[in-house]
């Protein structure tokens, strides 16, 4: 089945690290993505990881993939108020451009 | 390079009417996908087009249809609108590798 799960809320202090978690079910997924959505806006592609990788780092963002447990996480270092948004993980099943999205995690950063 | 553009940005329609939404992909991108976003159902895949052919379709009724033109621009149409069709409709385009999908700002449709 197709199901991607995320926790709904995360609140962190400015300057701390944020870790957003996601579990997915389709083991055939070739790519896994993280998108950011700010109020009233579309989705901004933050980063993605190929399914044969364990980790990918891109400036303040670190993606960890545990394929055995079908668990994906996004770590944001030195979280800023501008990082406050909803974060979606998504999987892309094999041989398709279709994205299956999680429910989204609302990240709130307080001073 | 210009991003994905969607028109119109906002739309108000009445139940029973039909609506057409437009999406222009990033220059050079040939794949266009459509998604519906609602508070209750989240982000759901509608359909995907590549080189004017529908490659994938989500679980939506036949009232939802789309097409893609030779210049890769895409339109989606919803006929006989229902209140539940009120949503943010997002379009995404991807290039040759189909690895990175870039989204437009969306069209917010309100059905009254």
């Amino acid at each position: 089945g197709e199901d991607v799960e995320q926790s709904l809320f995360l609140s962190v202090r400015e300057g701390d690290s944020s870790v957003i978690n996601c579990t997915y079910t389709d083991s055939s997924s070739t790519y896994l993505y993280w998108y950011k959505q700010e109020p009233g806006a579309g989705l901004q592609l933050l980063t993605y990881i190929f399914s044969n990788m364990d980790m990918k780092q891109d400036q303040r963002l670190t993606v960890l993939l545990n394929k055995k447990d079908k668990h994906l996480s996004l770590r944001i270092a030195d979280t800023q108020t501008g990082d406050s948004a909803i974060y979606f993980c998504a999987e892309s099943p094999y041989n398709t451009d279709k994205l299956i999205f999680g429910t989204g995690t609302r990240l709130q950063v307080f001073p | 390079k210009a991003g994905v553009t969607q028109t119109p940005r906002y739309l108000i329609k009445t139940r029973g009417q039909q609506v057409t939404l437009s999406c222009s992909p990033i220059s050079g991108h040939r794949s266009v996908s459509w998604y519906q976003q609602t508070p209750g159902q989240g982000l759901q895949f509608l359909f995907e087009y590549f080189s004017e052919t529908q490659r994938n379709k989500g679980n939506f009724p036949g009232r939802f249809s789309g097409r893609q033109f030779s210049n890769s621009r895409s339109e989606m149409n919803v006929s006989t609108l229902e209140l539940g069709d009120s949503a943010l409709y997002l379009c995404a385009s991807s290039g040759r590798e189909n690895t990175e999908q870039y989204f437009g700002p969306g069209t917010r449709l309100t059905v009254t």
Side-chain angles (χ1 to χ4, degrees):
Chain A
E2 302 174 340
D3 199 11
V4 180
E5 295 187 355
Q6 301 178 238
S7 53
L8 292 180
F9 298 103
L10 177 64
S11 183
V12 300
R13 187 180 298 277
E14 190 174 20
D16 287 351
S17 292
S18 308
V19 179
I20 302 171
N21 295 300
C22 169
T23 56
Y24 61 98
T25 55
D26 191 340
S27 58
S28 78
S29 291
T30 48
Y31 291 96
L32 295 130
Y33 300 84
W34 285 102
Y35 282 87
K36 175 184 179 183
Q37 187 176 37
E38 296 182 82
L43 299 173
Q44 176 191 352
L45 176 62
L46 289 176
T47 187
Y48 62 94
I49 188 168
F50 189 49
S51 59
N52 69 352
M53 297 171 64
D54 298 325
M55 186 183 86
K56 180 179 181 181
Q57 189 155 0
D58 185 358
Q59 298 182 344
R60 290 192 299 125
L61 306 179
T62 303
V63 178
L64 295 178
L65 174 61
N66 181 329
K67 200 172 178 182
K68 173 177 168 290
D69 295 337
K70 298 191 186 69
H71 183 264
L72 182 73
S73 68
L74 173 70
R75 179 176 178 269
I76 305 173
D78 188 24
T79 313
Q80 302 298 307
T81 55
D83 295 324
S84 294
I86 301 176
Y87 291 80
F88 292 93
C89 67
E91 60 175 341
S92 178
Y94 175 72
N95 208 28
T96 174
D97 275 359
K98 169 182 174 181
L99 290 177
I100 301 165
F101 284 91
T103 50
T105 298
R106 183 179 295 275
L107 173 64
Q108 181 179 14
V109 183
F110 59 92
Chain B
K1 224 182 215 185
V4 179
T5 57
Q6 293 186 245
T7 56
R9 291 292 312 278
Y10 302 92
L11 206 47
I12 300 175
K13 289 286 189 179
T14 305
R15 266 183 306 177
Q17 288 186 314
Q18 74 162 10
V19 67
T20 299
L21 312 182
S22 180
C23 171
S24 292
I26 292 170
S27 177
H29 284 190
R30 293 167 65 188
S31 174
V32 173
S33 299
W34 289 89
Y35 295 82
Q36 181 196 65
Q37 185 177 27
T38 59
Q41 299 299 316
L43 280 155
Q44 295 188 90
F45 172 76
L46 279 156
F47 24 66
E48 183 227 342
Y49 288 87
F50 181 81
S51 292
E52 302 178 66
T53 301
Q54 186 181 88
R55 290 205 298 195
N56 284 293
K57 189 177 189 306
N59 296 323
F60 279 82
R63 300 185 297 106
F64 291 80
S65 63
R67 60 179 175 167
Q68 186 181 34
F69 302 95
S70 58
N71 62 357
S72 295
R73 190 178 70 86
S74 178
E75 288 181 348
M76 66 163 281
N77 183 277
V78 187
S79 61
T80 321
L81 284 165
E82 300 177 359
L83 294 179
D85 297 333
S86 294
L88 181 66
Y89 289 88
L90 293 161
C91 161
S93 80
S94 57
R96 185 176 178 177
E97 295 296 324
N98 291 338
T99 304
E100 300 172 12
Q101 291 196 37
Y102 296 94
F103 282 78
T107 294
R108 182 161 298 281
L109 171 65
T110 302
V111 182
T112 62

